[in-house]
């Protein structure tokens, strides 16, 4: 609760709760032990809560360097998670569902079809809240949405943009999509390029990445 209060004090109006599939599968009490109190504390603090199903890879084939080694295939486990979770929180007005963290090693059309199935499954549990659908290529590329958006209502789209992602591609990846559809950035950030630790894709600073990126989002009235 103290962390939630600190987040609220920054002026934030939403928190993102990543649910890692391996933790979900290994703890049958995960929902009430972790998700339920976090979502409740967020609501009490006046925050929206994004429940993020934190897979990275191809939902259909299980391919991906960051795919967890689980007995249950990702498609089956995803269906189980959203059936239970969307049904449980279907009447919580401050909850937002992020369908699948970072689709990767999957084509745009294959992901669009899979995302559509997740959306229908969530809606089938009686949950009418906003559903966030991310881009392909580790979440960053939403260009496919312009031609083939998800055929459902109350959908928002998300992109993940870090210092390693060239400014020259922002328009193609998500900027042009934001002119026609709700788009928000659910992951971004940097570690100072002078630091030796941390992954290379985070190497940047406020001047080269942070401020230009926030300016870009503000110009287009995009959330982050």
């Amino acid at each position: 609760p103290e962390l939630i209060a600190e987040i609220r004090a920054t002026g934030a109006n939403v928190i993102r709760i990543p649910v890692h599939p391996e933790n979900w599968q290994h703890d049958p009490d995960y929902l009430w032990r972790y998700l339920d109190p976090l979502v409740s504390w967020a609501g009490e603090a006046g925050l929206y809560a994004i429940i993020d199903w934190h897979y990275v890879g191809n939902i259909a084939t299980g391919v991906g360097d960051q795919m967890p080694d689980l007995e249950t295939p990702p498609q089956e486990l995803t269906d189980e998670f959203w059936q239970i979770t969307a049904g449980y929180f279907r009447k919580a007005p401050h909850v937002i569902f992020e369908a699948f963290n970072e689709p990767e090693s999957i084509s745009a059309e294959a992901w669009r079809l899979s995302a559509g199935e997740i959306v229908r499954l969530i809606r089938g549990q009686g949950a009418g809240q906003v559903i966030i659908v991310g881009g392909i290529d580790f979440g960053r590329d939403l260009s496919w949405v312009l031609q083939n958006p998800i055929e459902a209502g109350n959908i928002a789209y998300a992109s993940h943009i870090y210092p390693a992602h060239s400014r020259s591609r922002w328009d193609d990846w998500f900027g042009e999509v934001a002119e026609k559809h709700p788009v928000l950035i659910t992951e971004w950030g940097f570690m100072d390029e002078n630091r030796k630790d941390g992954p290379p894709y985070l190497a940047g600073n406020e001047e080269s990445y942070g401020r230009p990126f926030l300016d870009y989002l503000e110009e287009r009235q995009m959330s982050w």
Side-chain angles (χ1 to χ4, degrees):
E2 291 79 10
L3 175 60
I4 300 296
E6 290 177 12
I7 292 172
R8 185 68 182 90
T10 69
N13 62 2
V14 61
I15 63 169
R16 182 173 185 251
I17 305 169
V19 180
H20 291 260
E22 57 271 37
N23 296 337
W24 170 266
Q25 186 167 67
H26 293 156
D27 187 348
D29 299 323
Y30 191 98
L31 190 148
W32 71 262
R33 190 189 303 274
Y34 301 112
L35 273 183
D36 184 78
L38 274 170
V39 169
S40 296
W41 293 332
E44 292 168 2
L47 295 169
Y48 284 94
I50 296 173
I51 298 176
D52 156 47
W53 184 228
H54 206 77
Y55 258 121
V56 180
N58 187 320
I59 184 175
T61 65
V63 170
D65 292 340
Q66 297 184 46
M67 270 288 181
D69 185 16
L70 300 174
E71 293 182 3
T72 306
Q75 181 68 69
E76 182 180 338
L77 192 60
T78 296
D79 290 350
E80 173 199 299
F81 173 78
W82 285 122
Q83 283 176 339
I84 294 172
T85 304
Y88 188 85
F89 290 109
R90 68 184 183 277
K91 294 184 179 180
H94 68 296
V95 168
I96 299 170
F97 304 116
E98 188 163 2
F100 193 94
N101 172 48
E102 291 188 349
E104 187 265 325
S105 299
I106 188 171
S107 70
E109 180 59 17
W111 167 235
R112 187 184 70 84
L113 294 173
S114 292
E117 290 297 323
I118 296 173
V119 168
R120 284 188 285 274
L121 188 149
I122 291 174
R123 293 288 184 249
Q125 313 314 307
Q129 299 100 313
V130 172
I131 299 174
I132 298 173
V133 175
I136 59 172
D137 293 337
F138 296 97
R140 62 179 173 265
D141 185 0
L142 287 169
S143 59
W144 53 273
V145 175
L146 288 175
Q147 298 298 324
N148 293 296
I150 302 297
E151 297 179 356
N154 222 15
I155 301 296
Y157 297 95
S159 186
H160 296 173
I161 301 295
Y162 290 103
H165 302 150
S166 172
R167 166 65 179 84
S168 65
R169 299 297 308 278
W170 292 355
D171 287 346
D172 295 336
W173 283 334
F174 65 93
E176 293 177 0
V177 178
E179 295 177 3
K180 296 184 178 181
H181 302 276
V183 176
L184 68 159
I185 305 298
T186 51
E187 284 190 21
W188 71 284
F190 64 90
M191 294 177 67
D192 189 288
E193 55 198 1
N194 296 317
R195 293 182 61 167
K196 294 181 180 180
D197 55 346
Y201 69 86
L202 286 176
N205 56 38
E206 181 177 349
E207 181 180 0
S208 66
Y209 162 79
R211 179 48 53 192
F213 186 57
L214 290 186
D215 288 344
Y216 183 93
L217 300 184
E218 184 174 355
E219 289 172 5
R220 288 156 182 78
Q221 297 183 323
M222 293 177 59
S223 298
W224 49 272

